[in-house]
Amino acid sequence: MSIRRPDPLAQVSDFDIRLLRIFRSVVECGGFSAAETVLGIGRSAISQQMNDLEQRLGLRLCQRGRAGFSLTEEGREVYQSALQLLSALESFRTEVNGLHQHLRGELTIGLTDNLVTLPHMRITHALAQLKERGPDVQIQIRMIAPNEVEQGVLDGRLHVGVVPQASVLSGLEYQPLYSERSLLYCAVGHPLFYVDDQQLEDARLNSQDAIAPTFRLPADIQAHYQALNCTASASDREGMAFLILTGRYIGYLPDHYANLWVQQGRLRALKPLARFYDLSLASVTRKGRRPHLVLESFLESLAATR
């Protein structure tokens, strides 16, 4: 059934903005069902609101049904325009709030997975200080792959991110936060689990099935993976942990992340005095960003938590 195209919108109302926010959440969640928890409303209500938005715009924005959820070409263009509009509204609200020196608004953060087990917890402490200064601040954390974090900061979907620092991308600013050590692990059930390190030859170690990350890493760290027989890959550290815990692969994990499994006797580090690397993690923001009081307050707290 085609949608009757109305006259062009004379103005964007509060109702339209509300519908666009819902549309953004649906797209980013990948469908109506997944967006229910995020939006706090049922699938039928979401469907009705999407119908309202399509009627308002006179465009079919998405396909939904047994084949799953997907955006139409018009839907992709409306989504990009909605991101620009909502970002501009948030910038306006932040700038007006800055006149009153009262923290309100949103802070959207993109994080590399499994930083919460770092013992110094700088991000956690900075978020606590931000919430103390601005009780009304709405914080959104998205756990996504490092490459997606950088792209999200570049296109304005994220205010700030934390990523492993490889090469510097044009248009982004990086501030060092952490240094973490990664060791080479295998799990109980793997042929090397009970082999003494002194008896473990490099040739045998390098011939085992191993896991490589698909996110960017510095060249000197990539060399550690090039020495291994990488027959599997993962987009994040949790994916690597899943494969290592099968007992069929070896792979590098941050020691703070692997520590619990080591204590449980499920993982062991292989030749830890030789097979390790240290990786720097950095906060990343967009160069030339517009004033954003919430973001600047968070960055100040992040710099102060040593």
Side-chain angles (χ1 to χ4, degrees):
M1 176 180 176
S2 61
I3 297 177
R4 184 181 65 84
R5 183 179 300 275
D7 295 332
L9 291 176
Q11 62 181 7
V12 178
S13 66
D14 290 342
F15 179 65
D16 295 319
I17 292 172
R18 178 173 175 273
L19 294 179
L20 288 171
R21 290 187 187 278
I22 293 173
F23 176 57
R24 179 184 65 179
S25 295
V26 169
V27 174
E28 293 176 355
C29 290
F32 292 3
S33 297
E36 286 182 284
T37 302
V38 173
L39 294 172
I41 57 177
R43 183 175 178 177
S44 60
I46 295 173
S47 178
Q48 180 58 55
Q49 311 234 32
M50 287 300 91
N51 287 336
D52 291 343
L53 180 60
E54 288 178 331
Q55 292 292 338
R56 287 284 294 162
L57 299 178
L59 298 169
R60 174 70 68 184
L61 300 179
C62 57
Q63 304 293 343
R64 54 267 200 187
R66 292 182 179 179
F69 174 89
S70 63
L71 288 177
T72 64
E73 192 64 35
E74 292 81 4
R76 282 188 284 270
E77 294 184 19
V78 170
Y79 172 65
Q80 292 300 324
S81 296
L83 289 180
Q84 295 176 20
L85 172 62
L86 296 175
S87 177
L89 287 172
E90 181 60 28
S91 294
F92 173 80
R93 181 166 62 174
T94 300
E95 290 168 11
V96 171
N97 288 339
L99 298 175
H100 301 281
Q101 291 298 300
H102 182 65
L103 290 181
R104 288 181 180 172
E106 296 179 355
L107 181 68
T108 306
I109 308 171
L111 297 180
T112 300
D113 64 323
N114 299 306
L115 296 181
V116 71
T117 51
L118 278 163
H120 23 307
M121 300 187 74
R122 290 181 62 185
I123 297 171
T124 301
H125 296 324
L127 288 172
Q129 292 178 18
L130 177 65
K131 191 63 176 174
E132 183 177 353
R133 289 188 58 189
D136 296 329
V137 170
Q138 297 180 7
I139 299 171
Q140 299 180 19
I141 293 181
R142 299 177 185 171
M143 306 301 299
I144 50 182
N147 299 348
E148 296 179 41
V149 172
E150 290 174 309
Q151 185 57 49
V153 174
L154 276 173
D155 63 27
R157 287 182 290 118
L158 301 173
H159 295 120
V160 61
V162 177
V163 295
Q165 189 165 0
S167 56
V168 174
L169 294 185
S170 175
L172 295 178
E173 294 179 343
Y174 297 80
Q175 293 295 327
L177 281 181
Y178 301 109
S179 179
E180 64 176 13
R181 173 157 294 190
S182 289
L183 303 177
L184 185 61
Y185 291 94
C186 73
V188 64
H190 192 278
L192 300 184
F193 191 79
Y194 294 108
V195 177
D196 186 271
D197 282 337
Q198 294 183 348
Q199 306 299 320
L200 183 54
E201 298 179 353
D202 284 339
R204 183 181 180 188
L205 185 58
N206 294 341
S207 67
Q208 304 297 312
D209 286 328
I211 311 154
T214 58
F215 50 85
R216 296 186 308 118
L217 288 170
D220 59 330
I221 292 179
Q222 291 177 12
H224 289 269
Y225 292 95
Q226 292 167 356
L228 300 176
N229 178 34
C230 293
T231 59
S233 64
S235 64
D236 51 49
R237 283 99 68 90
E238 186 170 358
M240 299 179 78
F242 268 113
L243 289 171
I244 295 170
L245 288 165
T246 66
R248 298 295 182 266
Y249 297 90
I250 63 174
Y252 285 95
L253 290 175
D255 57 2
H256 62 85
Y257 177 46
N259 185 53
L260 178 60
W261 290 307
V262 172
Q263 292 179 355
Q264 293 172 345
R266 298 179 62 190
L267 288 182
R268 65 158 287 201
L270 299 166
K271 306 184 78 168
L273 298 181
R275 296 299 182 108
F276 71 88
Y277 63 79
D278 295 320
L279 177 64
S280 295
L281 293 124
S283 65
V284 57
T285 53
R286 186 171 55 182
K287 288 182 179 177
R289 60 185 181 274
R290 301 182 68 181
H292 192 295
L293 185 59
V294 174
L295 173 59
E296 301 309 324
S297 297
F298 173 71
L299 294 176
E300 287 175 9
S301 297
L302 201 56
T305 52
R306 299 292 182 181

